[in-house]
Amino acid sequence: MTEDEAWQAGRGIWKFNADRALAQDEVQIVNTEGLVLAVATITGISKHGDRYALEGELLRGDARVGKPTTTPPPVTQLRRLLLTSRFPHSGLKELHGLPIHHP
């Protein structure tokens, strides 16, 4: 999975508290082994019905990509995130240290 693919899979569309998401500076997309797949700054959110997607700038080539995350959970107040079925084989189990439950 490329950084771009990880960012697209992890950024949304989710049900989450928009204010809490906007209080964060960045997001790490982390796989089941705890390796960072992508890092992005959070610049905003977009609304999709009753769900949201993170908007931001992917930090391609960030030094943390491919290394174990050093950010202990919970880093953010985002909770009960659902990875959409668009990426059922992405291997994503965490977003910014918080569990993702596949539908």
Side-chain angles (χ1 to χ4, degrees):
M1 173 175 273
T2 68
E3 290 177 70
D4 289 278
E5 291 169 334
W7 170 237
Q8 289 304 312
R11 63 182 281 271
I13 298 172
W14 313 88
K15 282 193 175 190
F16 60 75
N17 182 302
D19 292 332
R20 290 180 183 164
L22 290 171
Q24 305 303 312
D25 294 323
E26 67 176 26
V27 62
Q28 292 181 10
I29 310 301
V30 180
N31 72 7
T32 57
E33 290 79 36
L35 294 178
V36 177
L37 300 177
V39 179
T41 59
I42 298 174
T43 60
I45 58 170
S46 57
K47 189 167 170 76
H48 301 267
D50 65 343
R51 298 172 188 264
Y52 299 94
L54 294 172
E55 301 296 334
E57 295 294 324
L58 179 61
L59 302 175
R60 286 182 190 85
D62 186 279
R64 294 169 284 185
V65 173
K67 297 181 181 171
T69 185
T70 58
T71 308
V75 181
T76 175
Q77 297 300 315
L78 296 177
R79 299 278 186 219
R80 295 178 293 278
L81 299 174
L82 295 174
L83 182 62
T84 63
S85 58
R86 297 181 310 178
F87 301 98
H89 305 294
S90 67
L92 253 58
K93 294 291 183 184
E94 292 183 84
L95 173 64
H96 210 47
L98 299 173
I100 293 172
H101 304 286
H102 290 272

